[in-house]
Amino acid sequence: MGFGKWIVGALGWAMFGPIGGILGYYITSKLEQLSEEVETNNENQSWNQGQRNSFLMSLLVLSAAVIKADGRTTTHELNTLRRFFIKNFGANAANDAEEIVKELINKDFNLYEVCVQVRSCMDYSQRLQLYHYLVELGVCDGLIQREIDVIEVIGTYIGLAKEDIDSIFAQFGRYNSNSGSQGSSSDNSSSYSNSESNYRILGISPSATDEEVKKAYRKMAIKYHPDKVATLGEDVQKAAEEKFKTISQAYEAICKERGI
């Protein structure tokens, strides 16, 4: 399925406010090319499609912010972007997404305003899923401090709790060491040990009691349950299932370690 076709179906809230202003030219172009492909949806389907489209348009804008944070665009980053769209929408969609992001990298936009719109229009679980992808994008070619700063600012601006920001970084075995000089080309993030990473994924420290471990897992299981993003489509829900599995595996590892 082409990128433009699903945009034609139901544009959603992202076509208003700063995101709509940033992407307006590209979306209008697709509408002109694909206006004959519009399919009729019932009201509920149309609403869900609008949520889905808005999620992905927001993802494109914020992906550009992450990619250009270190002043370079790498093959690893573009391949990560392409894999996401190929898996969810096909090769044509990936081509369109890459083209748009390459243009956005050279475009100035107000990151705060974009994030405020995302925060006001997406529920918390949808924002978590969006942020998970952005961290994956940043990590794919190694993190430097400027990238970490931008990714953490996005997390704060879209209204995520610090424990959730740290948890998502930990799911990739990374954390911000707050070391290294600004603008360095080296990887300024650091790696957790497997054991410490499991605790960070649950948003707790190794000193937590057994009861606190169980409580933290229940809290994360509710927050990250794939059903929370069901309106974004089966493919996004499937990606959420992978994240949910990571949380479950972290909990199981801690339980095994402690003999719970």
Side-chain angles (χ1 to χ4, degrees), residues 110-161:
N110 189 310
L111 183 61
Y112 174 75
E113 290 180 353
V114 170
C115 290
V116 167
Q117 185 179 8
V118 168
R119 180 174 182 170
S120 64
C121 297
M122 279 188 198
D123 67 34
Y124 198 82
S125 293
Q126 291 173 345
R127 283 177 270 151
L128 283 174
Q129 184 63 26
L130 176 67
Y131 194 70
H132 188 274
Y133 165 79
L134 294 174
V135 174
E136 179 182 2
L137 182 64
V139 167
C140 73
D141 65 343
L143 287 168
I144 66 168
Q145 195 61 47
R146 283 185 296 180
E147 288 177 301
I148 294 171
D149 291 344
V150 167
I151 294 170
E152 289 191 335
V153 162
I154 290 172
T156 301
Y157 284 171
I158 65 175
L160 299 185

Side-chain angles (χ1 to χ4, degrees), residues 25 31 115 126 135-136 139 162 169 185 211-212 225 231 233:
Y25 168 79
L31 285 171
C115 290
Q126 291 173 345
V135 174
E136 179 182 2
V139 167
K162 186 179 186 304
F169 268 96
S185 61
E211 187 56 37
E212 287 171 335
H225 198 283
T231 58

